[in-house]
Amino acid sequence: MRIGNGYDVHRLVENRKLILGGVEIPYEKGLLGHSDADVLLHAVMDALLGAAALGDIGKHFPDNDPAYEGADSMKLLEEVGKLLQEKAYFIENIDATVIAQRPKLASYIPQMKKNIANVLGIQEGQVNVKATTEEGLGFTGEGLGIAASSVCLLSEIQNYVGADVLMEDRNCAGCGGCARFGGTRE
């Protein structure tokens, strides 16, 4: 088993959309960034990449690369999911927290969870998203930005099938447990 954590923060500015967990949230400000600045998905991606020892999102999607300007973080998360599949990792669970004084996020969290689970090919029960305020303290409490943190647990395919079943190049042995083969691993 492998554990990873991720953290991201972006400044709130006018004339930008606020997107968290792939959900556009009506608000007077949005997050500033090279991509869509979805701090929640960025923290989740960093946790997943960290657990797999694959670096961070800056390594895979550099903010000085014009190809990622305005990028949809849901598509970037999908790419991270593919990297994990290539390395034969299974996502056991993801737990993430959005830190924002405003806007209130509770009604958007079910869709955020669904988006993350769907793009990664896992069950919604494997994803937890929560939101908290900082009681008016710090940059998030003052409404200057939004932060997110995430942890995840990955398992290696050896935990599900014998090493003798694995292909030599560590690609999936076709156990049927992942989205690639239509499985659900319930």
Side-chain angles (χ1 to χ4, degrees):
M1 300 224 151
R2 302 173 69 99
I3 298 170
N5 75 24
Y7 176 82
D8 195 33
V9 61
H10 284 275
R11 178 183 310 274
L12 280 165
V13 297
E14 293 180 359
N15 301 315
R16 288 275 298 197
K17 293 178 181 179
L18 178 58
I19 300 170
L20 295 170
V23 177
E24 187 174 334
I25 298 167
Y27 191 56
E28 63 211 32
K29 296 181 179 178
L31 294 169
L32 180 63
H34 186 66
S35 67
D36 62 9
D38 187 328
V39 292
L40 173 57
L41 295 185
H42 294 184
V44 167
M45 286 186 276
D46 269 347
L48 294 168
L49 290 167
L54 294 173
D56 62 15
I57 60 172
K59 174 182 174 182
H60 295 275
F61 316 110
D63 65 4
N64 58 2
D65 186 336
Y68 301 112
E69 186 171 352
D72 178 346
S73 292
M74 290 295 293
K75 292 185 190 236
L76 302 180
L77 180 60
E78 183 177 18
E79 291 303 313
V80 169
K82 289 177 185 176
L83 287 171
L84 296 177
Q85 281 187 347
E86 289 170 11
K87 298 292 184 182
Y89 289 115
F90 291 111
I91 300 168
E92 294 291 340
N93 77 304
I94 297 168
D95 184 28
T97 305
V98 178
I99 304 129
Q101 195 67 33
R102 300 175 296 285
K104 297 297 182 192
L105 301 174
S107 64
Y108 303 102
I109 287 175
Q111 187 62 51
M112 293 176 193
K113 289 177 55 175
K114 184 176 188 167
N115 289 349
I116 293 167
N118 284 345
V119 79
L120 292 172
I122 59 178
Q123 300 296 307
E124 285 183 51
Q126 292 172 270
V127 179
N128 188 54
V129 175
K130 52 201 177 294
T132 190
T133 69
E134 289 193 303
E135 303 297 328
L137 301 173
F139 70 91
T140 59
E142 293 174 17
L144 300 175
I146 294 178
S149 66
S150 180
V151 294
C152 73
L153 182 64
L154 301 182
S155 288
E156 296 174 279
I157 197 168
Q158 291 93 329
N159 294 344
Y160 296 96
V161 297
D164 58 324
V165 183
L166 293 175
M167 296 177 184
E168 286 183 23
D169 63 356
R170 286 189 42 96
N171 284 330
C172 182
C175 68
C178 68
R180 183 186 308 175
F181 293 97
T184 60
R185 280 197 54 245
E186 290 185 306

